[in-house]
Amino acid sequence: MLRFYLVVSNIIVYFAVKSQYIGIMTQQEIGKAIKDRRKKLGVNQQTLADLASVAVNTVVAIERGEGNPQLSTLLTILDTLGLQLDVNTKLLEYETM
């Protein structure tokens, strides 16, 4: 499963598509993944903003890896694009031994 990680309040959060693992991503990589998915679906930023009921400036900022969107906003955009968000507990070193 393709997983995109985002740290929110010290909790590792990831959203998943398909069935490949890629690890923890930066905010810029998450934005790029959202942009790539939007383009793959043939949707422009304004249409995505309208469908997700967010401002187009929010979509632009997220795709650039800028700003600090509310989790609810990110979830709405992901859902609109057919992506999902999953949360896992971060493994500590002693747990992997």
Side-chain angles (χ1 to χ4, degrees):
M1 180 173 292
L2 182 58
R3 296 177 182 177
F4 303 92
Y5 290 84
L6 171 68
V7 177
V8 178
S9 300
N10 295 328
I11 299 172
I12 299 292
V13 179
Y14 67 89
F15 59 95
V17 183
K18 300 186 182 177
S19 58
Q20 299 172 350
Y21 175 77
I22 63 168
I24 296 175
M25 295 181 72
T26 66
Q27 195 170 348
Q28 290 77 21
E29 291 170 324
I30 292 170
K32 184 180 181 323
I34 289 171
K35 182 177 182 176
D36 291 346
R37 176 68 172 169
R38 175 183 60 77
K39 285 186 170 190
K40 183 177 182 177
L41 295 173
V43 176
N44 65 34
Q45 290 174 323
Q46 183 63 58
T47 301
L48 174 58
D50 292 344
L51 291 170
S53 299
V54 300
V56 69
N57 292 342
T58 300
V59 172
V60 171
I62 290 171
E63 287 186 356
R64 289 183 180 167
E66 299 172 352
N68 189 17
Q70 291 184 0
L71 184 57
S72 60
T73 301
L74 184 59
L75 288 171
T76 299
I77 291 170
L78 294 174
D79 185 57
T80 301
L81 293 171
L83 301 172
Q84 72 181 35
L85 183 78
D86 297 318
V87 178
N88 285 334
T89 303
K90 182 177 178 180
L91 291 177
L92 303 175
E93 276 188 45
Y94 68 86
E95 293 177 322
T96 60
M97 296 178 175

